[in-house]
Amino acid sequence: MLVSKLRHTTLHRLRLEELLCQHELQLSGKILDIGSKSRRYDSWLSKATRIFAVDLVPDPNIQVEFGNVEAGLDYETASFDGILMIEVIQYLEDPKKGLVEIAR
């Protein structure tokens, strides 16, 4: 683990950042970040060639588009090399719909 990369001090955040650090090399190519309200995880995606960020609350100032994973996203099937969806699934009314959409 690269301790210098860890930014947060809560146990939950530290564990989350440890996991991101362990798997960041797997997140390469074209990445979709679902639930990316503030683009908090962009710096962990160093191998990404392009990052698309969607959230229920869009923010054009930081290039976060509107996206509802349960209703379907406006991307072609198999458009991404990887998907990042952190702390989102617990807020979905129908998690199965969300997971089916990410698998698409």
Side-chain angles (χ1 to χ4, degrees):
M1 170 179 60
L2 298 173
V3 176
S4 62
K5 222 174 174 181
L6 300 178
R7 296 182 195 96
H8 296 87
T9 56
T10 66
L11 193 55
H12 169 76
R13 283 281 162 214
L14 285 172
R15 183 64 182 132
L16 177 60
E17 291 182 359
E18 272 181 6
L19 289 169
L20 280 168
C21 190
Q22 289 171 12
H23 298 285
E24 71 178 306
L25 296 179
Q26 294 172 321
L27 292 165
S28 62
K30 193 173 164 185
I31 303 296
L32 175 62
D33 185 0
I34 298 171
S36 182
K37 187 175 186 170
S38 64
R39 299 192 73 131
R40 154 186 257 158
Y41 302 109
D42 280 11
S43 64
W44 293 95
L45 303 173
S46 62
K47 298 295 181 186
T49 55
R50 184 135 185 238
I51 303 167
F52 293 79
V54 297
D55 197 276
L56 291 175
V57 180
D59 187 343
N61 295 321
I62 57 172
Q63 297 178 320
V64 175
E65 304 286 326
F66 173 79
N68 181 338
V69 72
E70 287 178 284
L73 299 171
D74 291 332
Y75 298 106
E76 296 290 322
T77 297
S79 296
F80 298 96
D81 299 306
I83 306 268
L84 186 69
M85 188 170 86
I86 296 177
E87 298 181 310
V88 172
I89 200 164
Q90 68 268 30
Y91 297 106
L92 301 180
E93 289 181 32
D94 188 346
K96 185 176 178 180
K97 277 186 183 177
L99 293 173
V100 167
E101 178 63 6
I102 333 180
R104 179 184 70 84

